[in-house]
């Protein structure tokens, strides 16, 4: 793997290697072990959109492993005054060892990678969120002991997180059902690609039907970053797609609930579900840190 721009930059073995490494790094952190796996390595983090988890987990991941991370807000860079992406990519390639970018348009990250001589990591785009999905898979494996024979139900917007989950499910053989309002389905090209990979991916319009026998229910905000002007319309369109206790009753008794956060309680998910014993949302959030470390080591580390 040269870059991590789409989760499909990884095959099954690549994903499993990252998850195994993330598990190991998690246990090393719990034991208080200190590493210098990324000593003298620097990561530039470019954010065109806000972030709590991605920013902090990448920064702590670098410092935990003896490296250094630089937070670069889009508007504080010359990028914000129109410097071309290709020049920024070429210049940063001379200073740091990897770049993580959160961008409005997926194309921005692809273009950056075309001119970069160092690894580029997608820290979320309108199309995908691969780093999130690695933490999600790690969490599912922790709770279910396996990634095979899992049924995952996505309820809500067919957004960036949903797109990456569809690809990952196809790569790993997870049975995935997505339930979205008509017109808010995941990206067509992604669904086609997933099917060409042999994925067991099904659209079911009714959330109640979609969660039947689900081991995992996953939801995310109805209005993603950059879609704020559609918020009022989306609140109406998505009203039947809330993850609440009544919906959970139709799933397996030991169903786990995932949400990448930030959440809007009372919209896509209720406070009761977030606080319930089915919710593993904060473990999922924590796992961003361990997964981030594994991604960085695979791209710029030398750990065995
Ligand atoms: N889940 C996630 O990517 O969160 P942030 O937007 O806070 O980084
Ligand atoms: N779908 C959300 C995810 C945030 C982490 C967004 O793009 O805003």
């Amino acid at each position: 793997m040269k870059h991590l721009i789409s989760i499909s930059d990884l095959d099954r073995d690549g994903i499993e290697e990252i998850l195994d490494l993330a598990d190991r790094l998690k246990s090393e952190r719990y034991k208080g072990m200190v590493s210098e796996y990324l000593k003298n390595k620097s990561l530039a983090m470019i954010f065109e959109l806000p972030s709590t988890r991605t920013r902090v987990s990448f920064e702590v991941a670098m410092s935990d492993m003896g490296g250094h991370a630089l937070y670069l807000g889009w508007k504080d860079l010359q990028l914000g005054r129109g410097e071309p992406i290709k020049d920024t990519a070429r210049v940063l390639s001379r200073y740091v060892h990897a770049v993580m970018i959160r961008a409005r348009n997926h194309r921005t990250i692809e273009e950056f990678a075309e001119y970069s001589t160092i690894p580029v990591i997608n820290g979320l785009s309108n199309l995908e969120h691969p780093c999130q999905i690695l933490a999600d898979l790690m969490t599912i494996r922790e709770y279910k002991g396996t990634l095979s024979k899992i049924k995952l139900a996505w309820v809500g917007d067919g957004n960036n997180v949903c797109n990456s989950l569809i690809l990952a499910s196809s790569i790993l053989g997870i049975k995935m059902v997505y339930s979205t309002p008509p017109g808010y389905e995941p990206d067509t090209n992604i669904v086609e690609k997933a099917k060409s990979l042999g994925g067991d991916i099904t659209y079911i319009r009714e959330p109640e039907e979609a969660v039947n026998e689900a081991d995992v229910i996953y939801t995310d905000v109805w209005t993603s970053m950059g879609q704020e002007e559609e918020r009022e319309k989306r609140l109406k369109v998505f009203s039947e797609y809330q993850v609440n206790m009544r919906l959970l009753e139709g799933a397996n008794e030991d169903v786990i609930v995932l949400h990448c956060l930030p959440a809007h309680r009372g919209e896509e998910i209720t406070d009761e579900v977030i606080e319930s014993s089915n919710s593993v949302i904060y473990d999922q959030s924590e796992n961003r840190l361990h997964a981030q470390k594994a991604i960085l080591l695979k791209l710029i580390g030398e750990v065995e």
Side-chain angles (χ1 to χ4, degrees), residues 186-210:
D187 183 81
T188 321
N189 294 330
I190 295 231
V191 174
E192 271 173 28
K193 183 169 179 177
K195 293 202 167 148
S196 75
L197 292 168
D200 183 356
I201 311 294
T202 320
Y203 173 67
I204 296 181
R205 182 173 170 164
E206 305 303 329
E208 291 75 14
E209 200 186 320

Side-chain angles (χ1 to χ4, degrees), residues 39-148:
K39 188 166 184 238
N40 296 329
K41 298 274 168 81
S42 295
L43 171 75
M45 307 188 297
I46 301 177
F47 283 93
E48 194 183 5
L49 294 162
S51 168
T52 297
R53 281 143 288 269
T54 306
R55 174 182 178 176
V56 177
S57 58
F58 265 112
E59 188 160 339
V60 173
M62 285 302 291
S63 67
D64 265 11
M65 297 191 289
H68 176 64
L70 298 95
Y71 173 82
L72 306 169
W74 187 273
K75 288 189 182 135
D76 301 324
L77 292 168
Q78 296 288 9
L79 266 175
R81 294 180 57 246
E83 183 168 14
I85 287 162
K86 61 183 175 186
D87 283 352
T88 311
R90 286 165 172 149
V91 171
L92 288 183
S93 295
R94 310 276 179 123
Y95 295 146
V96 298
H97 301 89
V99 178
M100 187 240 80
I101 312 178
R102 169 166 288 194
R104 290 176 187 277
N105 295 313
H106 192 70
R107 181 70 203 129
T108 303
I109 303 176
E110 288 179 334
E111 189 185 347
F112 198 102
E114 281 162 23
Y115 293 94
S116 165
T117 56
I118 55 171
V120 174
I121 302 167
N122 176 358
L124 180 147
S125 70
N126 57 326
L127 193 65
E128 280 209 53
H129 198 359
C131 300
Q132 177 67 51
I133 270 51
L134 290 164
D136 303 340
L137 295 169
M138 181 181 174
T139 312
I140 296 171
R141 214 169 67 157
E142 279 177 349
Y143 278 89
K144 299 294 172 188
T146 175
L147 290 174
S148 32

Side-chain angles (χ1 to χ4, degrees), residues 49-51 53-54 102 123-129 132 154 157 159-162 220-228 259-262 288:
L49 294 162
S51 168
R53 281 143 288 269
T54 306
R102 169 166 288 194
L124 180 147
S125 70
N126 57 326
L127 193 65
E128 280 209 53
H129 198 359
Q132 177 67 51
W154 176 273
D157 188 20
N159 62 18
N160 42 10
V161 176
C162 180
D220 183 17
V221 289
W222 292 338
T223 304
S224 283
M225 291 181 277
Q227 299 173 332
E228 287 76 10
H259 190 310
C260 60
L261 300 178
R288 293 292 308 274

